[in-house]
Amino acid sequence: MAANESLSTFNLRNREGKNKSAINAVNGNHVKGTSEKLRMSKKSTTSSLSDAFFMSWSTGDAVDLVKYHPIPCVFGLALLFFMGVEYTLFMIPPSSPPFDLGFVLTKPIHHLLSTKPFLNTVFAALNTVFVGMQTSYILWTWLVEGRPRATIATLFMFTCRGILGYSTQLPLPQGFLGSGVDFPVGNVSFFLFFSGHVAGSVIASIDMRRMKRWEMAWGFDALNVLQVVRLLGTRGHYTIDLAVGLGAGILFDSLAGKYEDTKIGKGLKG
């Protein structure tokens, strides 16, 4: 009986010893594997950094960057400059009217138009005629030439303008010089952000260039510049409204083109 108990105890200890050896072996392999992974990861990171694009830059590359890509370089310097301006600028207090550089630059025009209401009315009427020219051309491209891209772009643009204009309603600029013949005709209320006048003109101008109607395009661009100056002079738009209107015209023409591309073969392509 004692011999059997001694044998059983020996077997139990033997199994425990083997189990501990197995556990130690597993733990050892785990530690070894982990160390190997860390070593490989570190080596991979070092390798990837040495292969990084910027590691191959040289002084000649920097010179070529300025030589062949001056515009991005100017934008990079402008980024640094305006970061400094933004962090040191005193904000306009809520009780003060917005600061607008365009209003400052067109102060003489504003004074002239405010003292000569008839001249203001004439310019407003001419601007309304220009808006009519934009509208007529855009509708012509669709209804007569069968090319709907400019019309689609305009619909996109005015829908987005309505949403943004209603979402953030800007105060009417101080010194606004309205006219009953201005567009919208009747001197009624309108959304300030962003300028549909400018965006519509840009959409028409881009379409003219697409069709190689260069003289018409340059003519529209010149009239658009005069329109911008007049809108600033009458305080009909803030500068930011006009700038975003320019970008909106380009953006929505591009979106209309992408929309057309999805409809190729369905009778919509123009």
Side-chain angles (χ1 to χ4, degrees):
M1 183 70 176
N4 291 337
E5 289 179 357
S6 176
L7 183 60
S8 299
T9 302
F10 173 79
N11 290 336
L12 179 60
R13 289 176 178 175
N14 190 32
R15 282 198 301 270
E16 289 177 350
K18 288 182 179 180
N19 289 339
K20 288 181 179 179
S21 299
I23 292 173
N24 290 334
V26 170
N27 290 337
N29 291 335
H30 176 72
V31 172
K32 183 179 179 181
T34 303
S35 300
E36 186 67 21
K37 288 180 180 179
L38 289 173
R39 197 159 46 248
M40 292 297 293
S41 176
K42 186 175 181 180
K43 181 179 179 182
S44 175
T45 303
T46 305
S47 176
S48 62
L49 285 176
S50 63
D51 295 336
F53 174 62
F54 72 90
M55 294 296 290
S56 63
W57 291 357
S58 64
T59 304
D61 293 329
V63 174
D64 289 342
L65 179 65
V66 177
K67 181 179 179 180
Y68 296 108
H69 304 283
I71 294 179
C73 290
V74 171
F75 286 165
L77 293 175
L79 169 64
L80 297 176
F81 172 76
F82 283 111
M83 283 178 65
V85 171
E86 184 174 357
Y87 280 99
T88 56
L89 189 68
F90 289 103
M91 301 295 289
I92 301 297
S95 58
S96 300
F99 170 79
D100 194 300
L101 183 60
F103 290 1
V104 175
L105 296 176
T106 57
K107 188 177 294 185
I109 297 175
H110 180 263
H111 177 71
L112 174 67
L113 296 179
S114 62
T115 56
K116 297 184 181 300
F118 177 74
L119 187 61
N120 180 45
T121 300
V122 171
F123 286 164
L126 292 175
N127 204 155
T128 299
V129 171
F130 180 49
V131 173
M133 292 167 59
Q134 301 173 26
T135 305
S136 299
Y137 178 83
I138 290 171
L139 289 176
W140 177 278
T141 61
W142 174 36
L143 299 176
V144 178
E145 298 180 354
R147 298 184 300 104
R149 177 167 173 170
T151 304
I152 295 171
T154 304
L155 294 175
F156 282 3
M157 181 269 291
F158 274 110
T159 299
C160 182
R161 176 177 179 268
I163 294 171
L164 294 178
Y166 183 80
S167 299
T168 301
Q169 300 174 38
L170 301 175
L172 193 66
Q174 291 185 3
F176 169 64
L177 302 174
S179 172
V181 296
D182 202 356
F183 184 84
V185 177
N187 200 21
V188 296
S189 61
F190 54 92
F191 291 131
L192 285 166
F193 190 86
F194 47 86
S195 174
H197 287 74
V198 172
S201 178
V202 170
I203 290 172
S205 176
I206 291 175
D207 185 85
M208 292 170 184
R209 282 178 167 76
R210 191 160 43 240
M211 301 305 296
K212 302 187 184 329
R213 296 166 178 167
W214 307 112
E215 293 80 6
M216 292 180 65
W218 284 114
F220 257 60
D221 290 342
L223 292 173
N224 200 10
V225 171
L226 294 176
Q227 174 178 242
V228 166
V229 174
R230 177 203 162 251
L231 288 170
L232 288 173
T234 61
R235 309 302 189 246
H237 272 295
Y238 294 106
T239 301
I240 194 172
D241 305 332
L242 304 170
V244 174
L246 172 65
I250 299 171
L251 170 64
F252 289 109
D253 176 79
S254 176
L255 292 178
K258 294 181 184 300
Y259 175 78
E260 276 193 333
D261 290 341
T262 65
K263 300 298 180 180
I264 293 177
K266 296 183 180 181
L268 182 62
K269 179 68 176 175

